[in-house]
């Protein structure tokens, strides 16, 4: 039972003369028909004072964005505005009394329903308010992510940038403060909503009538479907595998073997999207597997295959030696024993080889490392480091669009690293070679090489607040300045956690595009992998720093923007806290 607390709104006759008034508690009271009605004075859309609106025929209209409400129930006629909180009213001896406690409050079930509606109708402010309300109500972040993933994978567009952003932001939540976590979820969910806007729901094709085929046979069928770009056949094979009880890890291997049958599909996006989908399944549970894996099959319908592209064949034929290396690995690799992490291996020389201009020697060296028993995940980590070095060395005199070239290589290399940490499938080792060759192809974007970060020019970073970095990024193209500031911060031996959070906010306060989200998530993940190796790997400290400096260079190059999305999120949070958004109120 709610506690009743009645507040006088004055005499009904005076209220009729005035039309409306605001009483204690921020409640707007209106003369209505033979009596009165009352609602929270803040428009639930964006907080404009409702007592300044118009009441006609029982419909209260907010004058800012013309949201309409039934003044008696508070219900809205406009899906982009939430219901207003209505209060009980009684009239005794001509005096109007208003219950200070609203009839209904926003329950978790209502917030979850509003999140779903925001996704379906692609309304950012509705999504923002639902996220804020759910977080404040103690709902787990993974439950919120799950809502977005289930909605996104049920749309006909398949797995794309929106779902990848949401998956990436889910991964970085532990690095962010509360406001950062809300922004990360909001960005991810809005991009999912945008990707699904105007699309029909996806109807699963269903499994084959019998699930008696062996896992090996299903894998053969799936590779054949991928080979001939048959996304529908691929979906039916996958759903049959799930019906037969195939685990997510086994599904991932089956699907990614097919992805790596051809070279560097769609510039690495195909592998990256698959990896993000399976990382998400780890978080939200395998019961969502049908829609998640089915959403990946459209990626097989028309991807670019790099072995068909000129620069993989000329002036140096890379296709033939790669195929020869794969044949050798398939013949000999199963006999090799993978050594532990501490096995002797010149990591510095390997990274230098990757950054060089001798691709045939790189192919040979990578083949020998695998056959020599070096852990494939360790090689993947080094390839990701070399790809990050390309971003660290990217000169700003390059065409601005070329940032994407080095970004794609890095995020692909990161995806391969994550997958090889989870998989023992030998055929996935082919993905290492594609990353190595992509690094080779990016070499001219480091000519000339960008200057090394000038940490000595930023002595204040040893003690300054990380807000100074945000202030720096309020100005355009502060690439080298931001790199120098972060290098000075790291050299000072300061706590890295505030910097990671600030880098996250430098992304989330912008109207960032897809690749910036990829950059931050991949850099933070690779940073964590290297930091875990401190004391056991001579490269670890420098490599971890490289990730953060590469990250800030990329983010600085793409800031500032109009910052409309975080502004919407701030309004949602202020509304949730009950703040007044307008002085007129």
């Amino acid at each position: 039972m709610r506690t009743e607390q009645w507040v006088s709104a004055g005499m009904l006759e005076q209220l009729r003369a005035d039309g409306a008034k605001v009483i204690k508690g921020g409640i707007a009271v209106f003369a209505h028909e033979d009596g009165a009605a009352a609602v929270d004075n803040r428009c639930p859309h964006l907080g404009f004072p409702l007592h300044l609106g118009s009441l006609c025929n029982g419909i209260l209209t907010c004058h800012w964005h013309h949201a309409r409400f039934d003044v008696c129930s508070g219900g809205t006629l406009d899906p982009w505005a939430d219901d207003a909180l209505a209060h009980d009213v009684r009239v005794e001896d001509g005096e109007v009394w208003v219950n200070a406690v609203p009839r209904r409050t926003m329950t978790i079930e209502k917030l979850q329903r509003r999140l779903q509606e925001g996704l379906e109708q692609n309304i950012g402010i509705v999504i923002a308010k639902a996220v804020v309300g759910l977080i404040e109500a103690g709902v787990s972040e993974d439950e919120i992510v799950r809502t977005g993933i289930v909605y996104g994978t049920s749309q006909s567009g398949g797995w794309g940038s929106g779902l990848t952003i949401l998956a990436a932001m889910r991964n970085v939540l532990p690095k962010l403060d509360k406001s950062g976590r809300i922004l990360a979820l909001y960005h991810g969910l809005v991009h999912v909503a945008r990707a699904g806007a105007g699309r029909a729901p996806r109807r699963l094709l269903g499994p084959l009538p019998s699930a008696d085929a062996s896992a090996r046979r299903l894998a053969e069928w799936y590779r054949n479907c991928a080979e001939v770009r048959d996304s529908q056949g691929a979906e039916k094979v996958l759903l049959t595998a799930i019906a037969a009880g195939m685990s997510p890890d086994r599904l991932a291997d089956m699907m990614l073997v097919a992805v790596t049958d051809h070279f560097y599909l769609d510039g690495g996006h195909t592998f990256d999207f698959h990896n993000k989908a399976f990382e998400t399944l780890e978080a939200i549970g395998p019961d969502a597997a049908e829609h998640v894996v089915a959403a990946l099959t459209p990626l097989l319908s028309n991807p670019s295959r790099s072995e068909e592209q000129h620069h993989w064949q000329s002036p140096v034929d890379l296709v033939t030696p790669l195929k020869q290396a794969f044949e050798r690995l398939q013949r000999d690799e199963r006999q090799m024993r993978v050594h532990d992490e501490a096995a002797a291996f010149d990591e510095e020389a390997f990274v230098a080889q990757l950054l060089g201009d001798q691709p045939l020697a790189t192919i040979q060296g990578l083949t020998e490392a695998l056959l020599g028993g070096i852990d494939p995940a360790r090689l993947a980590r080094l390839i990701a480091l070399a790809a990050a070095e390309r971003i660290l060395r990217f000169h700003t005199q390059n065409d601005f669009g070329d940032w994407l070239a080095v970004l794609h290589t890095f995020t692909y290399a990161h995806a391969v690293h994550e997958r090889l940490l989870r998989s023992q499938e030998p055929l996935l080792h082919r993905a290492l070679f594609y990353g190595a060759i992509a690094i080779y192809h990016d070499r001219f974007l480091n000519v000339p090489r960008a200057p090394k970060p000038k940490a000595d020019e930023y002595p204040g970073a040893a003690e300054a607040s990380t807000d100074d970095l945000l202030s720096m990024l309020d100005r355009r193209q502060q690439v080298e300045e931001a790199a120098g500031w972060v290098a000075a911060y790291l050299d000072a031996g300061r706590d890295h956690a505030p910097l990671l959070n600030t880098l996250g906010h430098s992304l989330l306060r912008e109207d960032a595009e897809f690749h910036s989200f990829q950059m931050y998530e991949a850099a933070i993940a690779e940073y964590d992998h290297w930091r875990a190796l401190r004391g056991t790997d001579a490269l670890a400290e420098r490599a971890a720093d490289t990730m953060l400096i590469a990250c800030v260079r990329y983010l600085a190059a793409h800031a500032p923007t109009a910052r409309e999305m975080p502004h919407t999120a701030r309004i949602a949070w202020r509304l949730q806290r009950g703040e007044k958004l307008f002085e007129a109120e």
Side-chain angles (χ1 to χ4, degrees):
M1 294 291 293
R2 67 175 188 270
T3 302
E4 293 187 342
Q5 181 178 352
W6 293 87
V7 179
S8 175
M11 302 308 291
L12 178 58
E13 185 176 352
Q14 184 62 48
L15 182 61
R16 286 171 176 164
D18 296 337
K21 69 180 296 184
V22 180
I23 64 171
K24 181 181 178 181
I27 302 171
V29 187
F30 299 87
H32 175 57
E33 296 178 345
D34 295 332
V39 296
D40 188 290
N41 195 35
R42 295 173 308 147
C43 176
H45 177 220
L46 291 177
F48 193 80
L50 286 175
H51 79 281
L52 300 178
S54 299
L55 178 60
C56 181
N57 294 328
I59 296 297
L60 173 61
T61 302
C62 176
H63 283 178
W64 195 17
H65 294 97
H66 312 293
R68 298 162 297 165
F69 306 92
D70 168 18
V71 74
C72 294
S73 70
T76 183
L77 277 67
D78 299 293
W80 39 267
D82 287 300
D83 293 340
L85 295 177
H87 295 254
D88 287 332
V89 176
R90 72 185 187 210
V91 179
E92 295 180 351
D93 299 326
E95 186 174 5
V96 179
W97 293 86
V98 179
N99 193 326
V101 179
R103 291 180 197 142
R104 293 183 302 274
T105 56
M106 188 67 81
T107 64
I108 289 176
E109 292 73 18
K110 172 70 171 176
L111 288 165
Q112 290 170 329
R113 185 163 66 252
R114 286 300 282 161
L115 175 56
Q116 185 69 29
E117 291 167 353
L119 291 166
E120 292 170 352
Q121 298 164 29
N122 187 24
I123 305 174
I125 185 62
V126 173
I127 294 171
K129 287 188 284 188
V131 169
V132 171
L134 289 167
I135 291 294
E136 294 290 356
V139 174
S140 75
E141 291 146 353
D142 276 348
E143 187 173 343
I144 297 171
V145 169
R146 180 186 175 84
T147 299
I149 295 295
V150 169
Y151 168 75
T153 55
S154 67
Q155 302 306 296
S156 59
W159 191 285
S161 60
L163 287 163
T164 301
I165 291 172
L166 179 56
M169 291 302 93
R170 185 264 167 199
N171 288 348
V172 300
L173 292 176
K175 304 300 182 184
L176 301 170
D177 58 20
K178 184 176 183 179
S179 64
R181 295 194 299 274
I182 288 172
L183 281 170
L185 292 168
Y186 167 62
H187 274 281
L189 291 164
V190 166
H191 282 281
V192 169
R194 290 176 178 175
R199 295 187 180 274
R202 181 183 182 87
R203 306 298 182 190
L204 296 181
L205 297 177
L208 298 172
S210 171
D212 292 339
S214 67
R216 181 185 180 91
R217 178 59 56 82
L218 290 170
E220 291 173 350
W221 288 351
Y222 188 78
R223 291 176 76 177
N224 179 261
C225 289
E227 179 66 29
V228 298
R229 306 176 191 268
D230 177 12
S231 59
Q232 291 184 322
E235 179 180 329
K236 290 188 74 67
V237 172
L238 289 174
L239 296 178
T240 303
I242 293 171
M246 187 177 288
S247 70
D249 285 342
R250 187 71 179 272
L251 279 170
D253 283 349
M254 182 175 81
M255 296 176 75
L256 285 168
V257 164
V259 168
T260 55
D261 279 343
H262 290 279
F263 294 12
Y264 202 46
L265 287 187
D266 264 349
H269 279 121
T270 306
F271 194 106
D272 187 18
F273 287 7
H274 277 70
N275 178 63
K276 279 290 168 286
F278 281 100
E279 286 180 349
T280 303
L281 272 183
E282 290 178 14
I284 68 174
D287 57 316
E290 286 189 349
H291 277 285
V292 170
V293 300
L296 291 167
T297 57
L299 298 173
L300 303 178
S301 61
N302 193 32
S304 62
R305 296 172 172 179
S306 290
E307 68 269 28
E308 299 171 353
Q309 297 183 0
H310 183 268
H311 65 287
W312 284 69
Q313 300 181 27
S314 180
V316 179
D317 176 12
L318 300 170
V319 175
T320 301
L322 282 172
K323 289 182 176 179
Q324 291 171 344
F326 298 160
E327 290 172 1
R328 183 182 174 195
L329 287 173
Q330 198 162 4
R331 183 179 65 246
D332 300 339
E333 192 174 25
R334 294 183 187 275
Q335 303 172 15
M336 298 294 107
R337 183 176 64 86
V338 174
H339 300 305
D340 61 28
E341 179 67 39
F345 182 63
D346 192 338
E347 295 185 340
E348 292 268 12
F350 182 68
V351 172
Q353 177 72 66
L354 291 166
L355 293 168
D357 60 358
Q358 301 296 320
L360 300 183
T362 297
I363 294 170
Q364 178 68 19
L366 185 50
T367 304
E368 296 299 335
L370 287 167
L371 292 176
I374 301 301
D375 185 355
R378 182 182 182 185
L379 296 172
R381 187 176 69 242
L382 294 168
I383 290 171
L385 172 60
E389 283 283 353
R390 286 282 187 237
I391 300 173
L392 188 70
R393 302 178 186 189
F394 183 91
H395 203 290
T396 54
Q397 76 174 20
N398 288 309
D399 184 83
F400 185 76
D402 285 335
W403 279 105
L404 294 184
V406 289
L407 178 281
H408 285 154
T409 304
F410 175 57
T411 54
Y412 169 81
H414 164 62
V416 173
H417 182 200
E418 292 294 340
R419 190 43 43 191
L420 291 183
L421 287 170
R422 296 164 169 83
S423 175
Q424 302 299 316
E425 171 55 59
L427 288 175
L428 295 190
H429 300 166
R430 297 175 297 184
L432 297 167
F433 292 82
Y434 306 149
I437 296 304
I439 292 170
Y440 162 72
H441 281 142
D442 292 340
R443 67 196 183 283
F444 287 115
L445 298 176
N446 291 163
V447 179
R449 174 177 173 166
K452 292 184 177 181
K454 297 179 175 60
D456 57 340
E457 294 183 5
Y458 301 93
E463 298 179 354
S465 165
T466 53
D467 288 344
D468 287 3
L469 177 60
L470 294 178
S471 297
M472 182 181 290
L473 298 182
D474 284 334
R475 302 185 297 276
R476 295 184 64 81
Q477 291 299 314
Q478 298 295 296
V479 175
E480 306 309 341
E481 294 83 353
W485 195 97
V486 169
Y489 184 101
L490 296 171
D491 287 350
R494 298 181 62 183
D495 181 11
H496 288 195
L499 179 60
L500 303 183
N501 180 58
T502 298
L503 288 173
H505 277 275
S506 73
L507 164 70
L508 297 167
R509 69 176 183 164
E510 305 292 348
D511 298 331
E513 56 88 43
F514 168 52
H515 300 94
S516 296
F517 293 100
Q518 285 188 299
M519 180 70 225
Y520 177 68
E521 187 265 345
I524 294 302
E526 291 300 323
Y527 161 88
D528 278 344
H529 290 313
W530 282 106
R531 290 282 288 180
L533 294 172
R534 285 182 303 164
T536 63
D537 191 307
L539 267 181
E541 198 74 41
R542 178 174 70 81
D545 290 355
T546 293
M547 297 302 163
L548 300 187
I549 297 171
C551 180
V552 79
R553 292 189 86 244
Y554 189 92
L555 295 178
H558 295 80
T561 62
R563 299 176 180 172
E564 177 184 1
M565 285 185 64
H567 177 66
T568 300
R570 282 194 298 272
I571 290 173
W573 205 354
R574 293 180 64 189
L575 286 169
Q576 172 69 25
R577 292 195 300 239
E579 294 183 16
K580 294 181 178 181
L581 274 67
F582 293 88
E583 289 298 324
E585 191 175 351

